[in-house]
Amino acid sequence: MRAVRVSVVTAATAAVALACATGCTAKSDADSGNAIKVTAADSSCDTSAKQAPAGQVTLSIDNKGSKSTEVEILFPDDRIVSEKENIGPGTHYTLTAEIKPGSYEIACRPGMKGHGVRQKFTVTGGAGSAKRDPQADGAVAAYREYAQDQADQTLPKVKVFTDAIKRGDLEAAKKAYAPSRIGWERTEPVAESFGDIDPKVDTRADGLESGQKWTGWHRLEKALWQDKKIGPAEKALAGQLVTDLTDWQQRVGKAVISPTSMANGAKELLDEVATGKVTGEEDRYSHTDLVDFKANVEGAQKAYELLKPVAAKHDAALTKELDKQFASLNELLDGYRTGAPGSYAYKSYDKVGESDRKQLSDSVNALAEPLSKLAATVVAS
Amino acid sequence: MTEHVAASDGEQGAGAAHPGRDETAGTGPGSGSGSGSGAPSRRSLLGWGGAGLALGAAAAGGAAAAVTSGDSGGRGSSEAAAVAFHGTHQAGVSTPVQDRLHFAAFDVKTDDREEFVQLLKDWTAAAARMTGGRTVGHGAAGLPEAPPDDTGEAVGLKPSRLTLTLGFGPSLFERFGLKDRRPEALVDLPKFPGDNLDPARSGGDLCVQACADDPQVAVHAIRNLARIGFGTVAIRWSQLGFGKTSSTTPGAQTPRNLMGFKDGTRNIASDETKRLDEHVWVGAKDGTDWMAGGSYLVARRIRMNIETWDRTSLQEQEDVFGRDKREGAPVGKPKEHDEPFLPAMKPTAHVRLAHPDSNNGATILRRGYSFTDGTDGLGRLEAGLFFLAYQRDVRKGFITVQRHLARQDALNEYIQHVGSAVFAIPPGVRDAGDWWGSTLFGNAGN
């Protein structure tokens, strides 16, 4: 990739919004005269105005309730523009955010949980203010659907895996291991955003903290391939895996997603490949790394394809390069497929030699480098 | 010396101003030391948009450092100075040897000639900036959502006489329809007796030799070129080196190799124009037009059996080399720079066998570095000499000498050649409009 930059036009647009891209907060003691008063209570959330001009929007928040509350400005798809948590009973807080024209909601969450009480809120376009890109909003909504769909499709595949373990069927369990991970691997950045699920289901032996009980896929992988036995402990762990992944399935729809986090997530998936899969560290007992590898690439490509119309407006050269590099990496991976086209049967990674691994690594670098520039092209959206 | 900090602030002249940044004062974000100390900004020095020239001289609160020419002797140049990137010959060949090396061999990953040529142009632009002590692209800062163009670890460091020298390996000529352009003098090296070459540390379609007085500056250069190259080229292998083992600066103390011997006493010096023209630079009538003003590089990773060498008696060590260890004087002579009397040395002495008089006058410019890559699995020092030699014709230079050495050199008991590569070093980048390899890839160099 030839050191692509955001075009000057975009850079200039971005520059205007650079200090606060889509929402950064500043605490100021001096409420500005045109601040919107938000009065939060245990079951209400009153706002002194239903609209404000684009630019700096200030909320002057008073918590009149008996519980701590959280106040958020939200996009229609629940993305957070700006938020303040832990506003104690009887306290006051000023929230300031840089907001573009469009429809929003102001939400108070008494007790800091649940859907909260919400008010519609419109930000009107001032002269020269950029409109939020509905294409980007569409991309986020579609990606949220994708993430949910992947979780929904994963659970039955996980059950095939865990049922085989519960039956004590070693061979069937080995066969079902890699397919049960595909949906998770495709959407890993979203899954990881919850923080508490990933350590339970996808930790490798070297990732354990002192005193941490090893649970999840890789613990079972070791039992199946290295210890070659299924005991009561493994059966219990199989049940635990289903529980933890059901938790993921129920929460994935509520993940905080933005165009920027989608783009960064795509890049993170390639980072996963570069640091875990290419080295063979991820599936060190089963050597099914290439299945995870392919799933990571697919997830990155999904996020990219959804953002592509937005990115192409700002940097067509970048999307052209990304198209090329995705195609080239996929073509390289196709060479390792041992099953029918479209299947997820790949060559065992312990049979992939050093020079082939380097070729895969080079190809990952060739894609990840331009992919790291995607976020900046969608940030103005 | 705050000026460099200012100078390494990325070009913001394209209209992508940093909001909230004072346009007239001080240094850019992330510019390390010196900000806020009343240093003049780069703009006040260069004017808006910045001249595209390497500026290694200090204008603020320091003595002006001379910009030394890349292909003439710059004796006495300070370590902080910049070496001119543009010239008839590439810098980094006859340039007085810097202290540190990061040498990288690359493989080409594209079949698209245009894409490869674009890379050469991008590399040239980045190299011109970095050798001048400046950042690549838009610098080490920029949009918060994007990774910065420059990796940033050289921000605030001086140019440190960084030179970047590009070469084309024989395998490059298998691509892009270049078969007929391969110089006859760029031969594949024969297998020499005793070679134990690791393919993973040998060959390469391209090389970049980065030399600097500061190791971080050299590594930064290779790292950023590799990054610009992702997708077009990929690093095949690379080698760090230190403690220059050869002197191209007459009168300077000859450095010692890791065996403790002075190495390169009789080397070609950077101001010996006649010898350089005769032995190093390719002439216009040598048969390959596009190589005129260029040279040929042989790189050999030579592992030393340090532990067995250290157990060797002083007498044998001196016999092996043909010089005394303390002074570096040839056998039977009192001073290092005295003319060696070859018959006084043992027939297998290294100096005797390598001497031009034993090789039909074959003379090469040596520019090697010591390396120590920790220890191996047996606890032995993984160390030796990363040998770099420039010559006008590989057949008359390195091959002639090495055939001789490989067969008879007493030193062979203590060394092993484990990596090998050969490259055509095209002529210099003439000016800001020119680029690396234009004589091979361009239309008459444009």
Side-chain angles (χ1 to χ4, degrees):
Chain A
M1 190 65 207
R2 313 286 64 87
V4 162
R5 291 294 299 181
V6 181
S7 67
V8 172
V9 178
T10 318
T13 319
V16 176
L18 202 60
C20 285
T22 29
C24 58
T25 55
K27 188 179 189 312
S28 91
D29 294 330
D31 283 3
S32 56
N34 51 13
I36 293 156
K37 286 194 172 29
V38 179
T39 310
D42 289 346
S43 58
S44 65
C45 184
D46 298 323
T47 55
S48 64
K50 296 289 177 222
Q51 62 178 49
Q56 284 262 314
V57 176
T58 304
L59 303 186
S60 173
I61 306 162
D62 282 296
N63 184 4
K64 305 279 194 202
S66 62
K67 298 180 237 179
S68 286
T69 192
E70 178 180 341
V71 174
E72 297 165 332
I73 304 170
L74 300 168
F75 287 104
D77 58 14
D78 274 14
R79 269 190 292 145
I80 295 170
V81 179
S82 189
E83 65 171 341
K84 174 60 190 165
E85 297 176 339
N86 260 326
I87 305 169
T91 59
H92 172 86
Y93 188 82
T94 306
L95 179 68
T96 304
E98 187 81 21
I99 313 187
K100 292 178 184 172
S103 306
Y104 299 87
E105 285 181 329
I106 293 174
C108 305
R109 294 186 203 252
M112 297 193 293
K113 52 180 192 278
H115 184 75
V117 189
R118 301 189 179 196
Q119 301 281 2
K120 293 262 182 256
F121 178 65
T122 309
V123 175
T124 54
S129 63
K131 272 205 84 64
R132 214 174 66 224
D133 189 336
Q135 260 181 323
D137 288 356
V140 170
Y143 188 67
R144 185 183 297 286
E145 242 171 82
Y146 170 76
Q148 183 66 60
D149 187 48
Q150 290 304 309
D152 294 346
Q153 288 187 39
T154 295
L155 261 294
K157 292 191 170 114
V158 170
K159 288 207 173 79
V160 173
F161 174 59
T162 53
D163 287 350
I165 290 176
K166 287 173 185 166
R167 289 198 311 274
D169 187 340
L170 195 76
E171 285 314 307
K174 281 164 88 165
K175 227 172 93 176
Y177 166 77
S180 75
R181 293 173 49 78
I182 292 171
W184 171 271
E185 287 290 329
R186 281 177 183 155
T187 57
E188 207 162 359
V190 180
E192 284 178 353
S193 72
F194 299 115
D196 58 339
I197 301 174
D198 182 71
K200 288 192 271 194
V201 302
D202 200 27
T203 295
R204 306 192 311 237
D206 50 298
L208 291 168
E209 289 176 34
S210 142
Q212 184 188 344
K213 183 173 182 281
W214 191 16
T215 60
W217 268 303
H218 295 300
R219 164 68 180 75
L220 292 165
E221 180 201 3
K222 178 173 180 285
L224 297 173
W225 271 274
Q226 187 165 299
D227 310 336
K228 299 185 174 63
K229 62 174 199 292
I230 297 171
E234 283 72 30
K235 292 179 183 179
L237 284 166
Q240 170 85 44
L241 181 63
V242 175
T243 307
D244 292 337
L245 289 172
T246 305
D247 181 30
W248 163 57
Q249 181 194 15
Q250 283 162 354
R251 285 158 71 188
V252 73
K254 300 183 188 64
V256 178
I257 303 174
S258 69
T260 315
S261 77
M262 275 172 71
N264 284 329
K267 180 228 165 224
E268 283 163 24
L269 281 164
L270 270 289
D271 292 347
E272 290 273 342
V273 173
T275 54
K277 279 74 176 187
V278 163
T279 58
E281 288 169 71
E282 180 78 20
D283 299 297
R284 64 190 65 177
Y285 315 106
S286 64
H287 306 300
T288 54
D289 305 83
L290 285 173
V291 181
D292 285 17
F293 190 141
K294 177 69 179 177
N296 286 158
V297 174
E298 284 175 334
Q301 192 160 3
K302 179 71 186 184
Y304 163 63
E305 295 290 352
L306 290 171
L307 291 170
K308 191 168 140 181
V310 181
K313 282 189 291 202
H314 301 308
D315 192 344
L318 178 65
T319 53
K320 184 166 168 252
E321 177 71 14
L322 285 169
D323 287 343
K324 180 177 130 186
Q325 297 299 351
F326 268 115
S328 134
L329 181 56
N330 282 321
E331 191 185 339
L332 188 60
L333 281 170
D334 286 347
Y336 292 94
R337 194 185 275 114
T338 52
S343 76
Y344 286 85
Y346 282 90
K347 189 172 181 174
S348 181
Y349 205 58
D350 57 338
K351 304 280 190 288
V352 177
E354 210 52 49
S355 65
D356 287 340
R357 288 185 184 199
K358 179 167 191 297
Q359 196 183 20
L360 286 163
S361 174
D362 289 343
S363 199
V364 168
N365 283 335
L367 171 58
E369 190 64 29
L371 199 55
S372 72
K373 299 182 168 74
L374 182 63
T377 66
V378 300
V379 73
S381 309
Chain B
M1 284 288 283
T2 52
E3 188 280 328
H4 243 317
V5 178
S8 57
D9 170 21
E11 291 288 343
Q12 296 295 341
H18 281 284
R21 206 169 113 208
D22 184 343
E23 287 301 349
T24 54
T27 55
S31 58
S33 61
S35 55
S37 61
S41 77
R42 225 192 76 259
R43 284 188 204 101
S44 66
L45 290 166
L46 295 182
W48 245 105
L53 295 168
L55 183 89
V67 176
T68 61
S69 154
D71 51 35
S72 71
R75 255 181 283 171
S77 59
S78 86
E79 288 185 1
V83 176
F85 177 71
H86 299 114
T88 314
H89 310 295
Q90 286 196 64
V93 180
S94 66
T95 308
V97 184
Q98 305 90 327
D99 287 339
R100 302 289 185 143
L101 168 82
H102 191 182
F103 188 96
F106 294 82
D107 282 336
V108 174
K109 308 296 282 187
T110 181
D111 294 318
D112 183 340
R113 180 180 169 128
E114 216 169 299
E115 190 187 337
F116 182 66
V117 167
Q118 189 55 51
L119 171 80
L120 292 174
K121 291 176 179 175
D122 292 343
W123 267 11
T124 306
R129 289 186 61 90
M130 290 192 290
T131 51
R134 292 151 83 217
T135 51
V136 299
H138 291 245
L143 296 173
E145 297 79 10
D149 284 355
D150 188 284
T151 53
E153 73 273 25
V155 168
L157 298 179
K158 299 179 176 70
S160 310
R161 295 197 301 125
L162 172 70
T163 54
L164 292 164
T165 315
L166 176 97
F168 299 136
S171 48
L172 183 76
F173 296 87
E174 304 295 307
R175 295 173 171 272
F176 309 126
L178 294 172
K179 250 194 166 64
D180 304 338
R181 312 292 306 274
R182 177 171 169 176
E184 233 180 272
L186 182 70
V187 292
D188 292 308
L189 296 179
K191 185 185 180 315
F192 298 102
D195 277 2
N196 183 20
L197 304 181
D198 176 359
R201 289 192 186 272
S202 300
D205 295 335
L206 280 177
C207 74
V208 179
Q209 170 196 278
C211 299
D213 289 324
D214 182 334
Q216 187 143 319
V217 168
V219 170
H220 168 266
I222 294 296
R223 179 176 163 192
N224 282 267
L225 294 179
R227 193 176 162 212
I228 291 168
F230 280 138
T232 312
V233 293
I235 289 209
R236 180 181 171 88
W237 55 268
S238 88
Q239 179 68 54
L240 292 169
F242 65 92
K244 56 183 184 181
T245 62
S246 301
S247 163
T248 54
T249 320
Q253 173 80 351
T254 305
R256 293 177 186 270
N257 62 24
L258 289 180
M259 289 175 156
F261 277 75
K262 291 184 178 177
D263 196 359
T265 297
R266 300 271 307 148
N267 210 3
I268 304 173
S270 54
D271 58 355
E272 294 183 285
T273 314
K274 197 167 162 299
R275 280 182 90 203
L276 286 167
D277 285 339
E278 189 181 350
H279 299 293
V280 178
W281 304 126
V282 176
K285 296 195 175 73
D286 287 4
T288 310
D289 292 353
W290 68 267
M291 277 295 291
S295 188
Y296 295 96
L297 167 65
V298 171
R300 304 280 283 185
R301 188 172 193 264
I302 304 172
R303 172 89 190 257
M304 292 173 178
N305 305 327
I306 292 287
E307 291 75 10
T308 53
W309 174 257
D310 293 344
R311 289 195 279 269
T312 302
S313 73
L314 178 61
Q315 186 61 57
E316 188 186 337
Q317 289 188 14
E318 293 184 337
D319 285 348
V320 163
F321 272 97
R323 289 183 179 275
D324 86 295
K325 196 165 187 176
R326 204 168 56 97
E327 164 64 23
V331 174
K333 300 278 174 135
K335 291 277 174 236
E336 183 197 343
H337 290 281
D338 291 347
E339 194 57 42
F341 180 63
L342 300 182
M345 299 177 183
K346 295 216 180 289
T348 57
H350 179 73
V351 167
R352 179 171 177 171
L353 291 167
H355 196 276
D357 290 355
S358 310
N359 295 288
N360 303 325
T363 305
I364 52 184
L365 186 153
R366 284 155 297 154
R367 223 175 181 282
Y369 286 81
S370 292
F371 69 85
T372 307
D373 297 336
T375 42
D376 67 12
L378 301 174
R380 303 177 303 181
L381 205 58
E382 169 82 46
L385 169 66
F386 190 69
F387 173 91
L388 293 166
Y390 288 88
Q391 60 247 285
R392 189 169 170 177
D393 187 326
V394 177
R395 296 162 299 186
K396 295 180 188 142
F398 177 78
I399 291 177
T400 302
V401 178
Q402 184 57 22
R403 274 196 202 288
H404 211 162
L405 291 175
R407 273 199 305 269
Q408 301 176 54
D409 191 357
L411 195 54
N412 291 338
E413 193 181 333
Y414 303 101
I415 61 171
Q416 189 174 53
H417 288 236
V418 293
S420 175
V422 59
F423 300 97
I425 306 295
V429 177
R430 288 187 313 271
D431 51 42
D434 194 13
W435 41 279
W436 262 333
S438 64
T439 54
L440 175 60
F441 287 95
N443 306 319
N446 291 319

